């Protein structure tokens, strides 16, 4: 499978925990940025058909719909897009309205990913989000009204005063609108405002054990509601698994356009520059041809992240045999790993410590 | 003037940090031995490690030429190691000299090691030249310090040069005094060959190099020489001097300091402190003072990567050549596999050797908790000498155990006597006496078990006396003690490398402290891990490491898989320093952690 990712690095304000390539107060850069973005797409040669497009950010819903339309139009003209391709746009509850949603629908966007994070207004304020509970519910209602069926809701676990009770209440409120949840555990990234706040004790985050406890309960609760966990952080109703994400984990090709965007084609990974200057000048922030070992590592690491599991024959093609690893047997015996019909999966109970397991399998 | 009248062999002794290496640098510079641009600060401390720790471990002699009143004098500086662990090495260097410069810091005054080193020099019949250093400091009090030297050390000091080695002030005065004060060697050039090996090192091309002082006779290339202790005979392949890099010469004669190389491949054949003589015409009696050095502290050293055993063996062999005091023998541990039980002169020595193995030989190693030698008297009358806790026989077979004691002298201002006594009592010490050295300085003497002072004693002493106390010790034989072995069980499995021998009264608190410490050091694992301390079958302490529940779940945003993989690789790097005992991953530093238990805990 092949995918396209488009990065829109503009935001109204920077969330305190955000460590991604996004910028607030750079709106006057938009015109120039989209010109370069289109040029980048135009220059790209890729003949295979595309199954998913993801317009992410930053806040894609912040910029004028016309920009999005132009880019999408160009992509459709320039590449072979499959008829039933999944086309997602990321949106913030406070930057969408009915007209925007109608426009998205019209230009062929069929999936919305909404950055809800929390419905606790104090929690939202504490991490620098600009929206509130009311806006979230309004946005979801509108999306449904306009006719979006495939809607994802991003939730953050491990915010200040996080509790399962709070999250359960939130899920109950939004579940009738959405088909997909992404539940991420809050990470304190280097160089973020959140990191400074934690250091200065301006915010007290729950410890790992507490977060994992909430996470485990969330998994059970979502499963009861019919949302299947198909990856560490992702849950969806049948038929609504995110194709785009699955392509990342199954190591399909993807082309990334825009500032900081990552691409992966034929076992080579590269990424655009992380500043406007670097991006415009064509400077890459990453370029690597994967070695055999790295490929093995990735197959294991990504396969165990999700319900797809590892296909044993893919490793065997690389002359890597998991059964030679003594830890593998222990993990299978202890039912940490499930090994059936040439597919190796991690027991969902151990998603939280997958790194420990992956490491033991690679060594 | 005959040849030897123009030679002076001397060393520099001082308390740590009083500026020994800096003065050596200035002397080399002032005599033009090295151009200034070739100088590296503290040149004589040639090992990276020495420069970092600010201490001298290896001896590096240097020949300098200084013109005094129209005559060129040859000054041989023999450096000495500056730590209590290396007393024997110091004594060998001293034996190669006629004079010693005693550096005293102009503000610190006479310190414990100033005294200890001065007495060592006096015992070796050296002429002592006191030098007051660091007079550039505002707190310098040279006159008082001179008086202190006269009062405490008991040597005349009013004529002592007042210098700043750092700024190069009055260095010429020191050079002149060396020539005027120190006696010239008075060897018999035509007598039978008599040389002292005061150090050795291994050269990959030339084999073992002996650093020697010639007392009588001469030695040149082609001579057959004999080592008197090992009775081995060798052909001299090269002779030379240090300026300060090695430089070949034709001959070394009575009074000279230099080196000889004999293509010695078997490193055990060179024994530092040994006497070299002619194979054809040997002297009757070797030089006095040779001692087979006895290590006092022992620990196991294992490669982190079990397949590197041979490399570790080679590394120890090479290190032993430079270091007569290092001892090792093969050891097998259930937990750590094949390694070596090594003996050291003290904890610093242990630390230096393990760091050198890691740096110079690029080997990752695990060191187990240091311990001492015990004499185990079995009920069947047999006496075992052992240092490895896991070789201790079961309690029913033991009649009694003896442990080594030391005579410790602690120097401090009188207001700290209370704190010192409290610490020593706590360490099972027996009070021996208190001496006022002067108004502001006392010496407290204690009879202490060596096993107690190798654990954090020095650090506790420093912290309880705000750094004012210093101490030295000498071995004082073995005494009967009530000792038990405390074992550590991880996940129910005994980990032999973590066993310790302790006094019965301290077993509970040590066991508790140890399990608590291990709980902090061992990372959480996939499963819950109980940590238990036990004496025999009796559990005396227990902690539990709860199971790991979350690790780095980096979000693969926008397809940044590389970042996730890098995180994984970083985690993998960290794991390289872990050892798997049963199903439990233990960081290699855990094995040394026993040493770093806080005073209050133990």
């Amino acid at each position: 499978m092949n995918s396209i990712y488009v990065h829109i690095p503009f935001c109204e304000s920077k969330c305190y925990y955000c460590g991604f390539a996004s910028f607030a107060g750079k709106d006057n850069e938009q015109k120039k940025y989209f010109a370069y973005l289109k040029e980048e797409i135009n220059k790209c040669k890729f003949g295979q058909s595309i199954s998913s497009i993801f317009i992410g950010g930053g806040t894609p819903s912040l910029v004028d719909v016309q920009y999005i339309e132009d880019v999408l139009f160009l992509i459709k003209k320039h590449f072979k897009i499959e008829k039933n391709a999944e086309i997602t746009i990321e949106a913030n509850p406070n930057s969408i309205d009915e007209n925007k949603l109608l426009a998205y629908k019209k230009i062929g966007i069929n999936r919305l990913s909404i950055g809800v994070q929390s419905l606790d207004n104090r929690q939202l304020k504490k991490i620098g989000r600009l929206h509130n509970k009311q806006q979230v519910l309004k946005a979801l209602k509108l999306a449904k009204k306009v006719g979006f069926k495939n809607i994802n809701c991003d939730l953050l676990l491990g915010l200040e005063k996080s509790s399962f009770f709070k999250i359960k209440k939130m899920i109950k409120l939004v579940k009738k609108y959405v088909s997909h949840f992404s539940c991420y555990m809050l990470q304190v990234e280097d160089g973020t405002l959140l990191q400074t706040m934690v250091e200065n004790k301006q915010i007290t985050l729950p410890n790992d054990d507490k977060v994992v406890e909430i996470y485990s309960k969330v998994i059970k609760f979502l499963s009861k509601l019919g949302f299947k966990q198909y990856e560490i952080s992702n849950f969806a109703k049948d038929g609504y698994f995110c194709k785009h994400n699955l392509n990342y984990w199954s190591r399909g090709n993807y082309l990334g356009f825009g500032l900081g965007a990552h691409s992966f084609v034929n076992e080579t990974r590269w990424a655009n520059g992380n500043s406007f200057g670097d991006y415009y000048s064509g400077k890459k922030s990453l370029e690597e041809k994967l070695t055999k070992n790295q490929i093995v590592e990735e197959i294991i690491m990504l396969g165990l992240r999700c319900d797809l599991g590892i296909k044993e024959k893919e490793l065997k093609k690389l002359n890597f045999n998991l059964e030679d690893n003594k830890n593998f047997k222990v993990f299978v015996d202890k039912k940490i790993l499930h090994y059936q019909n040439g597919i190796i999966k991690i027991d969902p109970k151990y998603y939280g410590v997958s790194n420990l397991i992956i490491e033991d399998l690679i060594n | 003037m005959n040849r030897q009248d123009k030679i002076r062999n001397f060393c520099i002794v001082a308390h740590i940090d009083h500026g020994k290496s800096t003065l050596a640098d200035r002397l080399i510079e002032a005599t033009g031995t090295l151009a200034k641009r070739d100088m590296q600060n503290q040149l004589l401390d040639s090992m990276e490690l020495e420069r970092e720790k600010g201490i001298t471990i290896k001896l590096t002699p240097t020949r300098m030429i200084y013109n005094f009143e129209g005559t060129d004098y040859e000054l041989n500086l023999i450096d000495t190691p500056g730590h209590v662990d290396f007393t024997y090495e110091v004594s060998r260097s001293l034996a190669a000299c006629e004079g010693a410069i005693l550096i005293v810091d102009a503000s610190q005054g006479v310190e414990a090691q100033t005294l200890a080193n001065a007495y060592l020099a006096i015992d070796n019949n050296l002429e002592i030249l006191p030098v007051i250093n660091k007079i550039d400091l505002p707190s310098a009090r040279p006159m008082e310090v001179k008086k202190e030297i006269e009062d405490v050390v008991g040597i005349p000091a009013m004529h002592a040069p007042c210098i700043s080695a750092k700024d190069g002030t009055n260095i010429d005065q020191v050079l002149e005094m060396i020539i005027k004060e120190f006696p010239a060697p008075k060897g018999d050039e035509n007598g039978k060959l008599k040389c002292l090996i005061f150090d050795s090192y291994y050269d990959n091309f030339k084999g073992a190099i002996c650093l020697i002082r010639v007392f009588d006779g001469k030695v040149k290339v082609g001579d057959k020489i004999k080592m008197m202790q090992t009775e081995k005979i060798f052909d001299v392949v090269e002779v030379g001097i240090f300026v300060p890099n090695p430089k070949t010469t034709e001959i070394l004669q009575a009074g000279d300091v230099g080196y000889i190389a004999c293509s010695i491949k078997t490193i055990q054949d060179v024994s530092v402190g040994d006497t070299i003589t002619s194979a054809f015409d040997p002297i009757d009696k070797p030089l006095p003072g040779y001692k087979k050095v006895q290590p006092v502290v022992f620990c196991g050293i294992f490669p982190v990567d079990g397949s590197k055993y041979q490399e570790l063996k080679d590394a120890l062999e090479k290190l032993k050549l430079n270091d007569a005091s290092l001892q090792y023998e093969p050891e097998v541990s259930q937990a750590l596999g094949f390694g070596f039980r090594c003996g050291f002169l003290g904890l610093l020595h242990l630390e230096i050797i393990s760091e050198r193995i890691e740096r110079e030989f690029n080997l990752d190693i695990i060191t187990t908790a240091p311990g001492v030698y015990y004499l185990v008297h079995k009920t069947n009358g047999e006496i075992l000498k052992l240092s490895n806790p896991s070789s201790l026989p079961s309690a029913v077979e033991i009649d009694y155990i003896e442990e080594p004691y030391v005579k410790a002298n602690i120097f401090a201002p009188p207001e700290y006597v209370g704190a010192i006594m409290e610490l020593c009592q706590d360490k099972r010490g027996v009070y021996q006496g208190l001496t006022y050295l002067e108004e502001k300085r006392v010496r407290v003497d204690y009879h202490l078990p060596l096993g107690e002072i190798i654990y954090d004693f020095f650090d506790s002493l420093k912290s309880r006396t705000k750094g004012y106390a210093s101490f030295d010790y000498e071995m004082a034989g073995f005494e009967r003690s009530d000792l038990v072995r405390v074992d550590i069980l991880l996940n129910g499995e005994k980990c032999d490398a973590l066993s310790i021998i302790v006094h019965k009264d301290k077993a509970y608190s040590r066991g508790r402290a140890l399990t608590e410490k291990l709980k902090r050091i061992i990372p959480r694992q996939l499963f819950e891990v109980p940590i238990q301390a036990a004496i025999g079958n009796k559990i005396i302490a227990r902690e539990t490491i709860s199971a790991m529940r979350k690790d780095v779940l980096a979000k693969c945003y926008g397809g940044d898989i590389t970042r996730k993989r890098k995180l994984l690789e970083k985690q993998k790097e960290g794991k390289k320093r872990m050892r798997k005992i049963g199903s439990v991953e233990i960081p290699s530093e855990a094995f040394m952690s026993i040493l770093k238990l806080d005073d209050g805990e133990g």
Side-chain angles (χ1 to χ4, degrees), chain A residues 57-292:
Chain A
T59 314
S61 56
L62 183 74
V63 302
D64 199 285
V65 181
Q66 193 59 49
Y67 283 127
I68 305 289
E69 189 178 343
D70 289 353
V71 168
L72 207 51
F73 180 75
L74 182 64
I75 289 175
K76 285 181 171 172
K77 201 175 85 178
H78 196 75
F79 299 101
K80 214 186 319 164
I81 310 295
E82 287 169 12
K83 243 200 190 115
N84 60 346
E86 173 190 279
I87 304 177
T88 309
I89 191 163
E90 281 190 322
N92 271 353
N94 53 318
S95 59
I96 39 178
D97 52 42
E98 192 165 351
N99 289 336
K100 239 180 211 168
L101 289 170
L102 280 167
Y104 289 159
K105 188 131 207 321
K106 205 179 110 202
I107 60 177
I109 291 172
N110 51 28
R111 186 172 183 270
L112 283 179
S113 176
I114 301 177
V116 172
Q117 319 307 356
S118 166
L119 286 186
D120 179 325
N121 289 344
R122 277 174 56 199
Q123 272 185 343
L124 287 166
K125 210 164 173 186
K126 201 82 190 245
I127 52 170
R129 299 292 295 195
L130 298 177
H131 66 263
N132 58 36
K133 180 177 165 184
Q134 246 38 57
Q135 285 170 312
V136 171
L137 296 174
K138 195 179 146 209
L140 288 171
K141 245 177 249 172
L142 270 178
K144 187 139 190 170
K145 188 179 148 200
V146 168
F148 280 99
K149 286 198 184 67
N150 194 348
I151 298 174
N152 166 57
C153 177
D154 274 347
L155 299 182
L156 269 178
L157 307 184
L159 295 171
E160 192 174 44
K161 299 200 172 93
S162 198
S163 73
F164 172 62
F165 180 71
K166 235 179 233 176
I167 291 165
K168 187 172 153 186
K169 228 170 67 182
M170 164 163 70
I171 292 171
K172 275 184 170 168
L173 275 173
V174 302
K175 70 168 199 272
K176 61 178 167 189
Y177 306 106
V178 307
S179 51
H180 189 287
F181 281 101
S182 292
C183 300
Y184 295 111
M185 300 193 213
L186 181 67
Q187 288 265 118
V188 181
E189 301 284 348
D190 282 349
T192 57
L193 186 59
L194 183 66
Q195 188 187 37
T196 317
M197 289 167 73
V198 170
E199 277 163 13
N200 297 340
K201 299 201 161 58
Q202 289 160 289
I203 191 166
T204 317
L205 299 175
N207 66 26
D208 279 2
D209 284 351
K210 173 82 183 157
V211 179
V212 173
E213 189 193 311
I214 297 172
Y215 169 72
S216 317
K217 287 182 181 164
V218 167
I219 293 173
K220 271 191 208 136
F221 183 62
L222 283 173
S223 137
K224 247 199 300 192
L225 297 177
F227 290 90
K228 188 169 182 278
Q229 182 176 26
Y230 69 101
E231 195 254 1
I232 296 180
S233 312
N234 286 288
F235 305 81
K237 293 225 159 125
D238 279 341
Y240 289 96
F241 292 1
C242 175
K243 280 192 204 171
H244 192 83
N245 280 343
L246 284 171
N247 191 42
Y248 286 154
W249 303 321
S250 53
R251 305 184 73 254
N253 294 321
Y254 50 92
L255 301 166
F257 299 114
L259 185 152
H262 284 248
S263 300
F264 177 58
V265 177
N266 293 335
E267 305 299 358
T268 302
R269 296 196 179 276
W270 72 91
N272 290 338
N274 284 315
S275 67
F276 286 104
D278 281 356
Y279 173 55
Y280 296 154
S281 67
K283 209 164 139 192
K284 300 276 178 264
S285 63
L286 169 85
E287 224 165 352
E288 58 174 358
K289 172 91 188 142
L290 300 183
T291 62
K292 199 195 107 189

Side-chain angles (χ1 to χ4, degrees), chain B residues 126-199:
Chain B
L126 301 193
E127 190 63 41
I128 297 178
L129 169 65
V131 167
I132 315 296
N133 190 22
K134 303 195 191 180
I135 55 155
D136 54 304
L137 294 181
S139 55
R141 41 183 187 96
M143 275 319 286
E144 280 172 57
V145 170
K146 282 184 180 183
K147 190 167 178 312
E148 209 175 294
I149 296 173
E150 297 202 331
D151 294 348
V152 181
V153 188
I155 54 169
M158 285 310 147
H159 65 305
C162 294
I163 66 159
S164 161
K166 199 180 93 199
D167 300 344
T169 315
N170 294 336
I171 299 301
D172 278 339
Q173 261 186 45
V174 178
L175 287 160
E176 279 167 30
M177 302 273 286
I178 289 171
I179 292 162
K180 284 199 259 180
E181 297 262 318
F182 291 156
K186 291 183 178 54
D188 179 359
E189 288 173 18
N190 300 312
K192 295 179 178 184
L193 180 65
K194 192 204 289 182
C195 314
L196 169 73
I197 305 177
F198 61 86
D199 196 11

Side-chain angles (χ1 to χ4, degrees), chain B residues 375-390:
Chain B
L375 294 180
V376 180
H377 297 256
K378 290 174 71 176
T379 43
N380 63 7
E382 212 183 312
I383 301 172
L384 293 178
K385 206 174 163 194
L386 62 87
S387 71
N388 188 349
S390 57

Side-chain angles (χ1 to χ4, degrees), chain B residues 6 113 123 160 163 175 200 281 293 306 319 331 333 371 453 469 495 510 573:
Chain B
K6 292 184 269 180
Q113 280 169 37
D123 291 347
I163 66 159
L175 287 160
S200 69
D281 189 13
V293 188
L319 288 172
E331 178 182 352
S333 152
I453 62 169
C495 179
R510 264 285 160 72
E573 265 315 294

Side-chain angles (χ1 to χ4, degrees), chain B residues 474-486:
Chain B
E474 56 186 86
M475 301 304 293
F478 282 77
E479 270 173 46
R480 192 170 166 158
S481 266
D482 206 352
L483 301 168
V484 291
R485 184 177 75 208
V486 175

Side-chain angles (χ1 to χ4, degrees), chain A residues 57 90 184 189 209 212 254 262 269 286 288 290 297-298 301 305 331 352-353 355-356 359-360, chain B residues 524 526-527 548-555 557-565 569 571-572 575:
Chain A
E90 281 190 322
Y184 295 111
E189 301 284 348
D209 284 351
V212 173
Y254 50 92
H262 284 248
R269 296 196 179 276
L286 169 85
E288 58 174 358
L290 300 183
E297 264 177 43
E298 286 197 1
M301 170 180 97
R305 275 180 77 87
F331 288 145
V353 286
N355 276 5
L356 270 186
E359 230 175 68
D360 276 347
Chain B
R524 295 167 72 177
L526 271 177
F527 314 98
M548 166 96 136
R549 303 191 62 191
K550 178 191 170 208
D551 50 25
V552 191
L553 285 181
K555 186 170 156 183
Y557 191 86
D560 186 356
I561 306 295
T562 307
R563 175 159 177 257
K564 177 97 175 81
R565 201 183 58 236
E569 275 159 12
Q571 194 171 311
K572 220 166 75 186
K575 246 194 173 169

